Amino acid sequence: AEAWSGFVLATLNYGRFAISPGARVESIRYERTNRLTGQTGESDLTEVIPGLGLTYDISDTLVAYAGVHRGFSPPRIEDVVTNAGGTVDLAAEESTNWELGLRGEVSPGLHIDVSLFRMDFDNQIVPASVAGGVGATLTSAGETRHAGAEAAARFSLRDAGLMQTDDVYFRTAITWVEEAEFAGARFSGISGFGAVSVSGNRLPYAPEWIASAAVGYRRGEWLNLQAEVQ
């Protein structure tokens, strides 16, 4: 795989308010050769990915933010070029992502980040599998929609002034994916199930709740111990 990328970003400040428009370009060429059979296949793609971010400084330690960005994720070479040298009609993932949130230090040592999000995919790559292993491969699922909220918090005893050199910290995060479903009139891409409508079905590997918590101990610049549960 040969990939080239570049980006440009500008930040325009108006007092407490800032606007950050930007764009990224990705160009990727795939080539795969089976050394046992001599079969060779190749594919390529180029994408321009714009974005816009907004921030407002509520105080010196608290910031409100919003943004809309174009999402892009290319398929892996082994998924788009088969072992037999053929190419799979597997388009890149593309989406429009919206977010609105608040982050910063709300009290000494306590940092938070809370946000609402929505992701509208023009095309999302998902596992195309059913019971029995039929069609156990990746497929372009077309339009999908994700929406929900997430929150994270971190508390540091040192930042709170309760410890001088060493630090004991706690962090937790939770994500609620209220909506993660196929959108529009979509049908199964699995062989033998092409007439099965999946519109409105929940996407695979999209749990409604994701949560984690951790406690850690830091000493100087060389020691950081952490225990985490998810």
Side-chain angles (χ1 to χ4, degrees):
E2 185 179 83
W4 296 87
S5 64
F7 73 93
V8 59
L9 176 69
T11 300
L12 310 175
N13 293 292
Y14 301 94
R16 292 178 174 269
F17 186 71
I19 305 175
S20 298
R24 192 171 88 248
V25 178
E26 299 279 354
S27 181
I28 304 172
R29 186 177 71 86
Y30 301 95
E31 183 176 343
R32 187 183 186 190
T33 300
N34 186 329
R35 299 298 183 186
L36 297 178
T37 64
Q39 297 292 328
T40 298
E42 62 180 39
S43 184
D44 63 81
L45 58 89
T46 299
E47 292 286 340
V48 179
I49 312 138
L52 178 67
L54 309 171
T55 62
Y56 178 76
D57 296 336
I58 299 174
S59 67
D60 292 339
T61 60
L62 196 60
V63 176
Y65 62 91
V68 55
H69 295 84
R70 188 67 174 167
F72 166 77
S73 179
R76 300 178 303 172
I77 185 170
E78 62 265 36
D79 296 327
V80 76
V81 180
T82 70
N83 198 40
T87 57
V88 179
D89 187 16
L90 193 63
E93 284 190 333
E94 295 180 330
S95 63
T96 301
N97 309 316
W98 304 81
E99 63 178 350
L100 175 65
L102 185 71
R103 63 171 174 255
E105 188 176 29
V106 293
S107 65
L110 178 59
H111 298 260
I112 66 164
D113 191 338
V114 295
S115 64
L116 302 174
F117 65 86
R118 179 184 172 108
M119 299 180 293
D120 293 307
F121 281 82
D122 297 330
N123 177 61
Q124 184 173 4
I125 298 174
V126 301
S129 60
V130 295
V134 179
T137 183
L138 297 178
T139 186
S140 294
E143 295 180 9
T144 67
R145 183 169 50 249
H146 305 246
E150 58 186 359
R154 186 181 188 276
F155 180 71
S156 165
L157 294 181
R158 185 172 59 186
D159 292 347
L162 301 177
M163 300 183 71
Q164 297 302 314
T165 55
D166 298 357
D167 186 25
V168 175
Y169 60 88
F170 309 88
R171 65 174 178 83
T172 184
I174 187 168
T175 301
W176 174 46
V177 186
E178 186 272 337
E179 187 177 19
E181 63 182 31
F182 294 91
R186 296 295 170 183
F187 293 85
S188 173
I190 303 170
S191 177
F193 293 84
V196 178
S197 174
V198 296
S199 181
N201 288 5
R202 193 169 184 92
L203 290 159
Y205 305 106
E208 184 176 358
W209 292 95
I210 305 171
S212 66
V215 58
Y217 170 75
R218 185 189 302 273
R219 183 181 180 88
E221 298 297 327
W222 57 274
L223 180 63
N224 184 18
L225 302 176
Q226 183 172 277
E228 181 174 359
V229 61
Q230 293 186 332

